[in-house]
Amino acid sequence: MPAFAAHAATPDPYAYRTRMDYVATKGRFGLRARGKFNHIVEMTTCHLIPPAAFAAAQAVWARANELGLPDYNLRSHTGFLRYVVVRRSPDDALLLAAVTAAGPYEAEMAQLAEAALSQPGVVSFHWLLNDSLTDLSFGSPLRHWGAETLPMRAGAATLEVGPNTFFQNNVHLLDRLLDDVREAVTSGAQRSSVFDLYGGVGTIALHLAPHVGEVVCVESVGESAELAGRNSAANGAGNVRAVAMDVLAYLRAQPAGACAVAVADPPRTGLGPEVCAELLRVAPARIVYVSCNPLTLAEDLRALGAGYALRSLMGYDMFPHTPHVEAMAVLDPR
């Protein structure tokens, strides 16, 4: 029978996020109302990040207004400034980014960068271009001021992240989750080789590196895979190999028995039937599945059930005040 543990509660339900994306539109600064893409909840404070981080982002928006940078209107697709993004490290260093449409505002953006870097804790400011009709708070890098990346402490490692790279969003539970993944990977039989699928900038891979023979960190986003390689080198993890490749394509190229353990931390869409089929064929001695979406996790567990039994399932309150939950499932062969 699988061992089902209670949720790991977050130590602090406030100021927990490592990233917030604030909308700038129609003279308002805040967040989109749920289910109403064109309605903005204007904000003068935010309890999801530390006060200094919110104040820095709000100051950038205020300075943009002073410089005459027009907010973007999603309905008419006019204007310039779409989002102000703030990323904060567990040590409260800040990376700010302005996501904009195209526009002749190079001089003004340089002045905006100066204002951003004058805010307490800000080490980096990025200008990102999203000139599509799609409402995204990510974009193509145009220029940055200050540091290129933000150092993020995770366990014993320090990882560099960029404005577009994924990183776990709860600073209070990150180390607990990483320790539980490590325990799941290393308990039992000798774990000589590990596939870290959807590995991002190497967060899980570097936490595992001192305890296993080799970790292959597979990541399809080129920027993240490059940072995973750089982070491995900077942390002296010579047994971590970063591979910039789609997970399905990578697995299809591997023989059966290619790894002892597969760790997977996919996006909300989950693994999907094709990746599950390849994991069944490669047949690692254990699968450790980290999920931010219990619905797709359940679908994937049904597919993997053809060859694996659920050994344990743990929940993590990574998103307090919301219905969302992170989970870690450990699967062993039947």
Side-chain angles (χ1 to χ4, degrees), residues 125-305:
F125 180 76
H126 284 251
W127 180 9
L128 306 178
L129 174 67
N130 173 14
D131 201 31
S132 72
L133 299 182
T134 306
D135 179 34
L136 292 175
S137 56
F138 297 82
S140 303
L142 291 179
R143 187 178 173 186
H144 76 272
W145 293 260
E148 179 186 6
T149 55
L150 178 69
M152 301 286 276
R153 178 174 44 82
T158 297
L159 304 101
E160 302 295 329
V161 303
N164 289 318
T165 48
F166 169 79
F167 196 81
Q168 286 287 355
N169 233 327
N170 189 311
V171 296
H172 305 313
L173 273 179
L174 174 59
D175 286 353
R176 167 68 187 274
L177 175 63
L178 291 174
D179 286 347
D180 287 353
V181 170
R182 180 191 63 204
E183 176 63 23
V185 168
T186 58
S187 63
Q190 178 66 33
R191 308 303 186 185
S192 56
S193 59
V194 178
F195 286 173
D196 177 22
L197 308 176
Y198 312 91
V201 297
T203 310
I204 291 175
L206 288 176
H207 203 70
L208 297 177
H211 309 281
V212 301
E214 179 190 38
V215 186
V216 182
C217 180
V218 184
E219 172 57 51
S220 63
V221 178
E223 179 185 350
S224 295
E226 179 186 357
L227 284 170
R230 288 166 50 181
N231 289 331
S232 301
N235 285 274
N239 61 336
V240 174
R241 179 162 57 94
V243 175
M245 196 170 180
D246 176 75
V247 165
L248 178 59
Y250 180 80
L251 288 175
R252 282 175 170 166
Q254 307 309 308
C259 69
V261 181
V263 178
D265 186 5
R268 292 188 60 79
T269 50
L271 300 176
E274 292 181 297
V275 169
C276 288
E278 288 303 311
L279 284 172
L280 290 168
R281 181 188 62 80
V282 173
R286 174 165 288 176
I287 297 173
V288 180
Y289 187 157
V290 179
S291 169
C292 61
N293 186 347
L295 297 178
T296 52
L297 172 63
E299 294 174 2
D300 292 337
L301 291 180
R302 280 192 289 270
L304 293 169

